[in-house]
Amino acid sequence: FFSLSEEIGSMVTSSATPLPEAKSYDGKTLPLTYRPADKVSPGPTVLSEWVWANREKLRKEAQEHGAILFRGFDIRSPEEQAMVITSLGLKPMPYVGGAAVRTQVVGDLIVTTNESPPSEPIPFHHEMAQCPEPPSHLCFMCQVPAKEGGATPILNSGAVYDYLKAKHPKFCSDLEAKGVRYVRIMPPQDDPKSAIGRSWKNTFKASTKAEAEAEMKKMGTTWEWLAKDDLKTITAKVPAIRADPRSGKKVFFNSVVAAFTGWVDSRNDPKKAVQFGDGSPVDAKALEDIASFMEKEKVSFAWEKGDILLVDNWSTMHSRQPFSGLRRVCASVFKGIDATPAVHTPKAVLTTGDSIPMVGLGMWKIPKNLCPKVVVDAVKAGYRCFDNACDYGNEVEVGKGITQAIESKLVKREDLWITSKLWNTYHAKEHVRAACLKSMKDLNVKYLDLYLIHFPIAQKFVPFETRYPPEWSYDPELKLPFTESIVQVDVPLSETWAAMEELKKEGLVKNIGVCNFNCALLREIMKTCTIKPSVNQVELHPYLTQEKLVHFCRRNGIHMTGFSNLGAPSYVELGMAKKADFVIDRKEVKDIAAKKGKTPAQVVLRWHIQRGNSIIPKTTKEHRLKENIGLFDFSLTPDEMAQISALNLNRRFNDPGVFADIPIYD
C-alpha cells in the first residue's frame, strides 16, 4: 500500500552545486550529493520513504558516481541510519572476516568503524577485499564528527587501475594473472591499540579454536596456531584486479596497498602482509607509487553530523584520516540486492536490528468477544503489529485471532510483531519470567517480539490463581477507596530490568523496553543495564507532543511508540476527557485534512509517523482499520507539521498521578 506523495518527492533534491572537494570521473561527480529541498530537514521516516521509492535509481547512481552523500537530514542515531539504509533494498551481510576491531551497535546491521587509535591513518582499500565474497556496498553515518581530521576519503578504483596499467604494466599483469594472498597474525582478544587488532574469535565469530578452524575451512584460509593463542592466517588466493560484474570494467579491487602500508602492529610486519597468489613477493616500489597516486586523487571532505555516505564497494575505495577529539562514525555492509517484498510497510529499526512496523493495532479496550475477528480483519488489512498487555484482560482472545490468521495462511508468525507488557504486580525478579510466560501462553506464541514494563510502579504481588489480570486494587473485595486499595512495594527498577534482560538472553523475547518512562527513569536504567531499552511507549498526540522526551530517545537510539494517538477519544467514557478535548475537531486539523482529501484522524496519525514515532491506534471497525493504516500515500509539509505541533497543551489524559494518586511524571 506504499506510494510516494508529491510532498515527499519535493523534500529531497540532488545538489546542483557539488561539494567543493568532489571530483569528476567519466563525467560523473564523486560523490553525488542529496540535500533537503526545504529549510526544515526531513527526519528518518520521510527520508526512508523517499529512499524506498527511489531505491533502484539510487543504486544505479551509486554505481555510476561511486558514492552518494545524504547531507543535512535530521538523522540522530545509528538506529535511524538503519531505518534509512534498509530502504535501499540491499541485502545486509554480517561483518565476518574483516581485520578491524569493531563493536556491534544495531544488531548485526550497524557496527562501529575501525576502532584503531585516532593517530593511526587507515590506507585506501575495498572493504573486506581479502574475503572470497566481499560486500557490494557499504554505508557510513556520522553521529559525532571529530574536532579535527577524521575524514573518510574516497577514490575511484577504476582510475587507480588505469594508472597501474599505464605506469606499471608488468605488475598489473602479474596481479591479474596470479592474484594475491593476505597474511595476518590475530590475537585471541581484540587489541584496540592496533588498526588490525581484531581477534580471531571476533573475526570468525568463534569461541573456540575448533569453531574458528571450521570457519577458515569454509573460506579456504590456511592457518597456524602460535604462542599465546595467536593465530597466523593466509587467505585463499583472491583476485587483485576484478571486473565489475555489472559493467565489466576492470577495477583495482583489493586491500593490497592498505596491507602493505598499514597492516603493522606488534604481531604483524606490513611488508609480509601481502604476497602474490603463488607465494612470491609483490613489487614494493610499484605499490609505493600507487599509494602516492591515491593520495593525490582522493576525495576528502569533513564529516557533518547526520551525514550518510553510501559507497559502491565495487567502484570506490575508502580510507580514514587521523583525528583528534571524539569521533563516532558507524558503518554497515551489504551484498547484492534483497528480494523486493510485494508490500512495503515502513518500519523503524531497533537497537537489536529488528524492525517494528510504524503502524500497529492497539488492543486496549477491545471487547473479548470481538478480539479474534478484529485481529483477522486487521491482518487482512495489512497490519502486522499487535500491541497487547496482561492488564487489558483479552490476551487469550487476541491469541485466538493470531492463531486463526496463521492457520488460515493469511500470515506467518515470523511476519507478525507481538508486544505484551509486564504488569505492576510482577516487578520482583522472581515473578517477571512467570508473568511473561503467562502472556505468551495466553497469546499462544512461543516468543514475544517486544516485552515492556507497563508502568514504573511496583505493586504488591497477586498470584495468578487469586486474580488475573490483577489490575490496580490489591483486594477489590475490601471496597476501599480506589487510591487506598493500591499497595505499592519497594522493588528497585534495576532488579526488574535485570530480570527483563534475562528474558531476552533466554530467547523468550526478542526486544525489551518500557512504557510511561520519562528521561530521568530512562537514564536510571541506562546507568546499569547491559541491554538498553529498545522502545519507550508513551502517551503522544498533538496536545501532548513531549518534545524533550522524543529528542532524548532519538539521540539515545530508543524508539518511541505513541499510544492514545488521537488524544481524548479513549478517555471520554472513563470520565477522563470531554468531547471538547478532541484534537481531530480542531480547525487546523480539519483544514489540512480537507486539503489532502483525508480524514482528520489520518492527518494526526500521519503527523506521528513523520515525527518518527510508531503508533498503535485502536478500532474494531473494518473501515477504520483500513483508514488508520492508509497513511503512506500522502505526507505533510513542514508548515503543516508545525501547525499541528503548535497545538501542544501538555495535556495528559492517562496519568496515574491523577487517577491513582501515584505521580510518575512530576
Side-chain angles (χ1 to χ4, degrees), residues 307-385:
D307 279 353
I308 294 179
L309 180 66
L310 173 66
V311 176
D312 187 297
N313 198 42
W314 275 107
S315 62
T316 305
M317 309 178 87
H318 68 281
S319 63
R320 189 201 75 181
Q321 293 181 339
F323 63 92
S324 62
L326 176 64
R327 175 188 187 266
R328 184 173 174 83
V329 178
C330 296
S332 51
V333 291
F334 302 88
K335 183 170 174 54
I337 299 172
D338 206 352
T340 303
V343 176
H344 176 68
T345 308
K347 298 179 179 180
V349 180
L350 307 184
T351 191
T352 58
D354 293 332
S355 298
I356 183 171
M358 291 296 287
V359 182
L361 179 63
M363 304 307 295
W364 181 48
K365 292 180 60 185
I366 294 185
K368 293 181 181 180
N369 64 308
L370 298 181
C371 282
K373 183 178 185 303
V374 169
V375 169
V376 172
D377 288 344
V379 169
K380 290 179 180 178
Y383 288 80
R384 295 297 181 264
C385 174

Side-chain angles (χ1 to χ4, degrees), residues 457 472 481-486 488 655-664 666:
I457 299 169
W472 288 90
F482 178 66
T483 57
E484 295 179 21
S485 70
I486 301 171
Q488 297 186 70
D655 188 350
V658 174
F659 66 78
D661 196 24
I662 305 176
I664 59 176
D666 300 315

Side-chain angles (χ1 to χ4, degrees), residues 206-418:
S207 57
T208 66
K209 290 182 178 180
E211 291 175 356
E213 289 176 0
E215 191 64 32
M216 286 186 286
K217 283 181 181 179
K218 292 179 187 177
M219 302 174 72
T221 296
T222 59
W223 67 88
E224 177 185 354
W225 293 104
L226 305 177
K228 299 180 181 180
D229 284 340
D230 284 352
L231 173 64
K232 179 180 179 180
T233 61
I234 303 178
T235 68
K237 183 176 74 173
V238 293
I241 306 296
R242 303 196 192 210
D244 186 325
R246 303 157 302 183
S247 66
K249 184 176 181 179
K250 290 185 177 180
V251 291
F252 188 67
F253 192 101
N254 56 64
S255 294
V256 171
V257 172
F260 193 79
T261 62
W263 283 18
V264 55
D265 61 14
S266 60
R267 293 167 296 276
N268 290 275
D269 179 354
K271 304 308 180 198
K272 299 178 181 178
V274 61
Q275 56 188 227
F276 281 122
D278 60 6
S280 59
V282 294
D283 186 335
K285 289 185 178 180
L287 285 178
E288 290 169 358
D289 183 49
I290 294 167
S292 178
F293 173 80
M294 290 176 168
E295 189 64 21
K296 294 176 183 176
E297 293 298 314
K298 70 183 181 185
V299 174
S300 180
F301 54 89
W303 282 112
E304 292 184 7
K305 185 176 182 179
D307 279 353
I308 294 179
L309 180 66
L310 173 66
V311 176
D312 187 297
N313 198 42
W314 275 107
S315 62
T316 305
M317 309 178 87
H318 68 281
S319 63
R320 189 201 75 181
Q321 293 181 339
F323 63 92
S324 62
L326 176 64
R327 175 188 187 266
R328 184 173 174 83
V329 178
C330 296
S332 51
V333 291
F334 302 88
K335 183 170 174 54
I337 299 172
D338 206 352
T340 303
V343 176
H344 176 68
T345 308
K347 298 179 179 180
V349 180
L350 307 184
T351 191
T352 58
D354 293 332
S355 298
I356 183 171
M358 291 296 287
V359 182
L361 179 63
M363 304 307 295
W364 181 48
K365 292 180 60 185
I366 294 185
K368 293 181 181 180
N369 64 308
L370 298 181
C371 282
K373 183 178 185 303
V374 169
V375 169
V376 172
D377 288 344
V379 169
K380 290 179 180 178
Y383 288 80
R384 295 297 181 264
C385 174
F386 295 89
D387 183 80
N388 310 281
C390 151
D391 188 55
Y392 300 168
N394 57 8
E395 289 193 318
V396 170
E397 292 73 23
V398 171
K400 291 178 180 178
I402 292 171
T403 301
Q404 183 180 338
I406 293 173
E407 290 181 348
S408 301
K409 301 188 185 306
L410 293 173
V411 69
K412 296 178 181 179
R413 169 62 185 97
E414 57 266 29
D415 295 327
L416 292 175
W417 185 278
I418 308 299

Side-chain angles (χ1 to χ4, degrees), residues 5 35 38 49 80 147 159 232 239 247 294 299 382 402 407 486 491 497 502 549 594 621 631 660:
S5 69
R35 299 178 184 270
D38 197 276
E49 288 180 289
E80 293 185 352
K147 182 178 180 181
K232 179 180 179 180
S247 66
M294 290 176 168
V299 174
I402 292 171
E407 290 181 348
I486 301 171
V491 179
W497 188 254
E502 290 302 314
L549 180 60
K621 299 177 175 63
L631 308 175

Side-chain angles (χ1 to χ4, degrees), residues 146-157:
K147 182 178 180 181
E148 293 183 359
T152 301
I154 50 180
L155 176 67
N156 182 286
S157 191

Side-chain angles (χ1 to χ4, degrees), residues 600-616:
Q602 285 178 309
V603 167
V604 172
L605 295 177
R606 178 68 199 187
W607 169 82
H608 284 282
I609 296 295
Q610 285 189 214
R611 293 182 83 208
N613 305 318
S614 58
I615 53 175
I616 45 173

